[in-house]
């Protein structure tokens, strides 16, 4: 990581940090938005053989611009193969073929359980969110799961309003009793830092802060009493190459999505 | 053999007040033209089913066609909320909306069970989520391993409507690209309507293409550009800009109603609607 | 990514004595070359699975590779009995053959359950048949309607072997035509081998083709004419005359053994076997 | 049926009589052998819009020669569409889309239950037959079922050695308790005549004999005490056209199957 760039946004740092988590050659089930940006950045930088799979049934897709929706034509055109929804969920996702699931969330708790359904009571919601989609199956079935979302006390809460997808459940070995095939979330990447579950308690611990961010800032942006690792690291800054690839990707994307109507 | 119909006639004959209707499509090939015709014909008390209700269902809900929605992800993809869906759920406008909520995997399995004429489908799902309190899934025990599995009741719509690329004169339909649960939704339904971009003499389909033979369909209707602002792979791209504009149009009840009045209620068909939007290419 | 292997190596590494092996194919694309190599390498105590065991399984049974057969229709299609299968079942030659018998619908559902990592699949089947006394299916009650449905345990082979038309250099496989349960069998297995007619630079597959990505396969092996006397759609036709001849070759133990000795045991590979049969076109 | 031919075999009469049972435009799930010959004869004569479906997944197939196997390339090449085995059984056959099933059999009993599994005891068989294949699902799920096989006391037996597929089960309304979706066998067409189930008892009754065949002959060829309809009819002879089309089909078929190896 020799060349660091002059300046970058916290969103860029988040996307770069998330992208770095992908090992080359992994089969990766990707949610739309931040996960999709990070997964494609990885594919365009250090992980060219990553197999990206979207729940629209597009397998081994290599989009040139980021999809706005989970089913943009770009995903189908650049895929190795496109299968139906029944097949992608039964044979591929729940069938145990996917190494890594990459999710976003509206709320997350200290055991990395996530809410993407509703803020407030279900019957009388303050904000009605889109709902589960493929997230519960991704969280249960992929070999491991990464989660990426922006840090704030409203997002990182003591108690999520609705458990859409299971992370480490009630902590400790409680996930085991659900007999989920996958081992659950292994990291949460935010615009402030990286949280990873304690090997025993499974509570999320701040293990890395992004450059210029203090641990106090992250604690303040977290709605529960966030534990901080003894040896908390500083995330390496985005390289010039990472930033350039990401910015090019975002620029191509903005142009493509504005170009119609 | 499926008769080639006009859209007005196909909707009149096959979609009735109180029906359970699936207008399927997973971002791609959303049957907008058919949905608009249902709005124009003022169907009421529909139970709508779709894995991914988006702008079309927002329009149908806002126009008062819908009593209940069964779904697994409802949003304007990549843009944000569906304001009319939220208004119905949060404020019961224009009427209360009952919702039955699932996860994608459960809906997919339920469609497959419907197509297979089975009463339910099974999956490792719902477990450990709060969806369990708001859905129709139950749990059963595996007779071999004792493992607990979720069972979801089959989806059997009164009528399924999809959009596809083309049909031949015998009403055999060919679709390709991202195909979602459309085949299952068609095969699970009592009646079915397929709108297509064009009618051709010969499908010229490659081996193992996704073809819906005319004899399993109720009606086939040619509607050029019938998935706009969604897309038809090989014909036109998704109009992502329209999806973004919808956020503004639909935010307030007044702007929504004015738009629907002008673009849907006061146009005689989808073609006139497209012309109004300056989509001359649809002619 | 699937490594491009030699057939000898692929069988040696992936098929072990005592394994449960599915060499799938529904009349079309039967993996004869791979089956012959298993015979040559003298694998023993295999549990073979296939919906439609035909001449290849007759050969493997007669050569003593097989302990158990799980199937739903065993015959020489359009010709008659499989004499080696019958001899094993009726007279325990060359050794007793345990059989587990199903109906096609049950095998299909069991493969799909295996591919989906579910412990079982459900269907309306087995009911009212004597198969019930000889199969592994059980009955469960629908939690919604109370209806009784058959549950069949998932098929999870140690290794699945199929033949396909082509693969690219990354080991991505394309097959078309009558495709049976091959995709499910591959996805249900722990390991998998695909023999292909040819390796190409680019698959050039139409949309929604049946493609098995290299990263889910253990080995991909080019074997020209590798499905003979079955066929490879787009490459060569089914050799129905050979299937008819097999009836005579296999009727007696002596003629069967002599034929296998000469054509399989004393040839070094499938290519030499084809040459011996005068199939020069396979070069 | 103006033109009758000079002479024809009992197999030809059987195939023609079976073919006539197919209504034009019906979706028909076809077994290999006699059913396949009859169904294709129907398609080439009075029922050109019949939709033939073979369990190999070939839908709307129009073979120019009869397939030797259920999966000959000819079936795929002339089909409207070809689907996988899981789909053909789940969505089409058990999914209730098929009007008519057309089966052969090795043994049949008076309630049209059929055996295609084993002659003699299952564990110590005299003849091991191929087994069930798709027959149980066809017999249970198609709107109605036709069965065609040659008449003999060994085939038409008081008690079949193995019930492979359910017909009218124990007779009367006993089929109903199995909740099979289809109404079961509506005719059995043999080389001697046609048997149809009594509307109430569901026992097979001889309702038509082929020309030149006596009711006594059919009774003698039946292993149970066969009931004969009061108004037993004589099957109209094959027309010259039917015979010509059938013979052309058989000739093309023989030539095609001999042409290799």
């Amino acid at each position: 990581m020799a060349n660091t760039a002059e300046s970058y946004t916290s969103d860029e740092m988040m996307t770069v940090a998330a992208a770095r988590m992908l090992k080359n050659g992994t089969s990766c089930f990707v949610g739309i938005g931040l996960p999709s940006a990070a997964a494609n950045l990885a594919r365009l930088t250090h992980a060219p053989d990553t197999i990206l799979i979207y729940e629209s049934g597009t397998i081994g897709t290599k989009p040139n611009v980021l999809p706005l929706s989970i089913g943009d034509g770009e995903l189908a055109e650049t895929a190795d193969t496109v299968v139906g929804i029944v097949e992608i969920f039964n044979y591929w996702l729940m069938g145990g073929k996917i190494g890594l699931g990459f999710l976003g969330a509206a709320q997350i708790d200290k055991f990395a359980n996530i809410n993407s359904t509703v803020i407030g009571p279900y019957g009388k919601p303050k904000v009605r969110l889109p709902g589960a989609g493929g997230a519960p199956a991704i969280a249960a079935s992929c070999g491991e799961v990464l989660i990426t979302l922006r840090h704030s006390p409203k997002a990182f809460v003591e108690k999520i309003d609705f458990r859409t997808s299971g992370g480490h459940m009630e902590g400790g070995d409680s996930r085991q009793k659900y007999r989920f095939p996958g081992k659950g979330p292994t990291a949460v990447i935010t615009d402030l830092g990286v949280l990873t579950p304690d090997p025993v308690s499974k509570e999320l611990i701040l293990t890395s802060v992004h450059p210029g961010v203090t641990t106090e800032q992250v604690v303040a942006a977290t709605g529960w009493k966030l534990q901080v690792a003894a040896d908390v690291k500083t995330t390496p800054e985005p390289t010039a190459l990472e930033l350039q690839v990401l910015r090019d990707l975002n620029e191509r994307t903005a142009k493509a999505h504005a170009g119609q109507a | 053999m499926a008769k080639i119909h006009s859209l007005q006639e196909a909707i009149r004959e096959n979609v009735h007040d109180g029906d359970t209707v699936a207008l399927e499509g997973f971002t791609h090939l959303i049957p907008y033209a058919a949905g608009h015709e249902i709005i124009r014909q003022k169907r009421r008390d529909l139970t709508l089913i779709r894995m991914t209700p988006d702008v079309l269902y927002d329009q149908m809900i806002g126009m008062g066609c819908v009593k209940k929605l069964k779904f697994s992800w409802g949003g304007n993809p990549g843009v944000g909320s569906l304001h009319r869906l939220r208004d119905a759920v949060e404020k019961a406008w224009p009427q209360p909306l009952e919702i039955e909520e699932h996860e994608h995997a459960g809906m997919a399995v339920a469609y497959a069970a419907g197509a297979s004429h089975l009463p339910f489908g099974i999956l490792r799902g719902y477990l450990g989520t709060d969806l369990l309190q708001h859905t129709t899934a139950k749990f059963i025990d595996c007779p071999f391993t004792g493992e607990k599995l979720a069972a979801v009741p089959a989806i059997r719509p009164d009528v399924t409507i999809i959009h596809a690329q083309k049909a031949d004169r015998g009403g055999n339909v060919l679709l390709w690209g991202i195909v979602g649960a459309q085949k299952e939704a068609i095969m699970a339904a009592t009646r079915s309507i397929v709108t297509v971009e064009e009618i051709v003499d010969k499908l010229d389909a490659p081996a193992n293409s996704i073809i819906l033979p005319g004899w399993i369909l109720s009606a086939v209707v040619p509607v050029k550009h019938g998935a706009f602002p969604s897309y038809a792979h090989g014909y036109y791209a998704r109009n992502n800009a329209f999806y973004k504009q919808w956020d503004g149009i639909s935010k307030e009840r007044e702007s929504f109603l004015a738009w629907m009045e002008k673009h849907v209620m006061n146009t005689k068909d989808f073609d006139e609607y497209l012309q109004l939007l300056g989509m001359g290419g649809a002619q």
Side-chain angles (χ1 to χ4, degrees), chain A, chain B:
Chain A
M1 311 251 179
N3 304 314
T4 60
E6 296 298 296
S7 75
Y8 50 89
T9 69
S10 57
D11 268 11
E12 286 172 337
M13 181 69 253
M14 168 168 58
T15 304
V16 167
R20 289 172 185 160
M21 300 261 171
L22 267 80
K23 278 197 212 71
N24 193 22
T26 307
S27 55
C28 179
F29 212 93
V30 191
I32 212 70
L34 293 174
S36 171
N40 278 288
L41 176 59
R43 186 179 59 80
L44 294 170
T45 53
H46 70 281
D49 301 322
T50 302
I51 299 131
L52 299 190
I53 301 164
Y54 290 72
E55 66 192 15
S56 51
T58 48
I59 297 173
T61 187
K62 297 162 275 294
N64 185 46
V65 302
L66 293 175
L68 180 67
S69 80
I70 196 85
D72 276 18
E74 177 79 9
L75 294 176
E77 275 156 23
T78 62
D80 290 334
T81 180
V82 181
V83 301
I85 284 289
V86 174
E87 179 175 328
I88 197 78
F89 277 93
N90 276 341
Y91 295 175
W92 297 82
L93 180 56
M94 296 191 292
K97 312 300 185 299
I98 314 295
L100 180 75
F102 210 151
L103 292 170
Q107 283 185 331
I108 187 166
D109 68 17
K110 72 175 76 164
F111 295 121
N113 301 301
I114 64 180
N115 173 17
S116 53
T117 301
V118 73
I119 305 291
Y122 186 83
K124 201 105 188 88
K126 219 175 104 197
V127 184
R128 172 66 231 198
L129 300 161
I138 295 170
S141 299
C142 291
E144 62 179 300
V145 175
L146 298 177
I147 301 166
T148 178
L149 74 167
R150 294 186 186 90
H151 225 120
S152 85
K154 282 187 171 178
F156 285 68
V157 295
E158 183 68 41
K159 189 167 167 25
I160 52 181
D161 293 340
F162 190 99
R163 190 195 279 166
T164 308
S165 309
H168 294 292
M169 311 306 286
E170 297 81 37
D173 59 5
S174 63
R175 186 178 161 99
Q176 285 174 29
K177 74 165 186 265
Y178 294 89
R179 295 173 77 164
F180 294 137
K183 67 181 178 189
T186 49
V188 178
I189 305 99
T190 81
D191 51 343
L192 299 182
V194 178
L195 289 66
T196 53
D198 177 86
V200 176
S201 75
K202 297 295 161 66
E203 183 172 331
L204 290 173
I205 295 175
L206 180 64
T207 46
S208 186
V209 289
H210 297 332
V213 177
T214 64
T215 56
E216 290 71 24
Q217 273 178 281
V218 188
V219 168
T222 304
W224 70 82
K225 198 177 164 324
L226 178 65
Q227 304 214 44
V228 180
D231 59 340
V232 66
K233 294 185 175 53
T234 299
T235 313
E237 291 199 318
T239 65
L241 179 69
E242 285 168 333
L243 272 183
Q244 186 200 318
V245 171
L246 176 60
R247 286 170 183 175
D248 287 354
L249 178 62
N250 283 334
E251 195 176 318
R252 282 199 302 278
T253 300
K255 203 175 288 177
H257 295 172
Q260 293 145 328
Chain B
M1 197 177 290
K3 226 177 110 192
I4 311 289
H5 282 71
S6 78
L7 186 54
Q8 286 80 354
E9 190 190 353
I11 297 296
R12 195 178 310 117
E13 285 180 11
N14 291 291
V15 184
H16 317 302
D17 286 356
D19 273 356
T20 295
V21 187
L23 295 115
E24 262 300 337
F26 203 90
T27 309
H28 180 214
L29 292 173
I30 313 296
Y32 273 90
H36 281 192
E37 185 57 30
I38 290 172
I39 294 171
R40 264 188 217 100
Q41 293 193 17
K42 297 184 180 163
R43 286 295 173 283
R44 290 296 176 264
D45 295 322
L46 302 178
T47 293
L48 290 187
I49 303 180
R50 198 168 127 204
M51 294 181 68
T52 54
D54 72 343
V55 168
L56 177 60
Y57 275 23
D58 208 36
Q59 295 173 342
M60 294 176 78
I61 290 165
M63 292 302 281
C65 305
V66 190
K67 183 182 68 183
K68 181 179 168 182
L69 175 66
K70 175 170 179 155
F71 76 109
S72 41
W73 192 93
N76 185 343
V79 177
S81 292
L82 294 174
H83 299 295
R84 297 299 100 223
L85 168 60
R86 281 185 57 178
D87 204 10
V89 170
E90 297 168 15
K91 309 231 168 72
W93 189 91
Q95 63 192 53
L97 180 70
E98 190 187 337
I99 61 175
E100 178 189 325
E101 195 158 356
H102 288 267
E103 56 167 306
H104 275 355
M107 289 281 281
V109 163
Y111 269 128
S116 307
H117 232 300
L118 286 170
F120 67 98
I122 55 174
L123 72 156
R124 281 198 189 80
Y126 297 95
L127 201 62
T129 78
D130 288 332
L131 277 171
L132 268 182
Q133 285 107 58
H134 306 282
T135 195
T136 51
K138 294 185 177 182
F139 287 96
I140 59 169
D141 295 321
C142 171
F144 305 102
T145 65
E147 188 182 352
K148 216 172 170 185
L149 293 166
V152 283
I155 297 175
R156 304 293 309 268
D158 292 316
V159 54
T160 288
I161 306 175
I162 67 166
H163 187 72
Q165 278 98 338
K166 55 185 172 176
D168 65 19
R169 293 181 201 287
N172 301 300
V173 168
L174 172 64
L175 62 160
W176 69 86
I178 290 171
V179 291
Q182 280 106 300
K183 186 170 197 171
E184 286 79 10
I186 287 283
M187 300 201 74
T190 307
R191 299 181 298 280
S192 55
I193 303 171
V194 184
T195 57
V196 294
E197 286 298 319
E198 56 173 339
I199 306 279
V200 297
D201 287 330
K202 231 178 138 353
L203 288 180
D204 284 325
N208 308 105
S209 291
I210 299 161
I211 288 177
L212 305 170
W215 56 275
I216 64 163
L217 305 172
S218 308
V220 171
V221 182
V223 187
K224 213 168 173 174
H225 239 90
F228 170 89
S230 170
Y231 70 108
H233 204 121
Y235 290 74
Y236 46 92
R238 188 170 193 269
N239 198 307
N240 284 329
F242 182 95
Y243 279 91
K244 290 180 175 174
Q245 284 165 19
W246 182 253
D247 198 58
I249 294 167
S250 61
K251 200 156 257 165
E252 302 301 330
R253 293 172 188 173
E254 296 65 33
S255 57
F256 164 75
L257 285 175
W259 194 93
M260 291 301 293
E261 204 61 36
K262 177 175 173 192
H263 290 88
V264 180
M265 300 313 287
N266 291 343
T267 54
K268 74 172 197 303
D269 59 21
F270 203 69
D271 216 47
E272 201 178 304
Y273 160 75
L274 291 171
Q275 282 181 51
L276 195 59
L277 289 178
M279 307 289 300
Q283 291 311 294

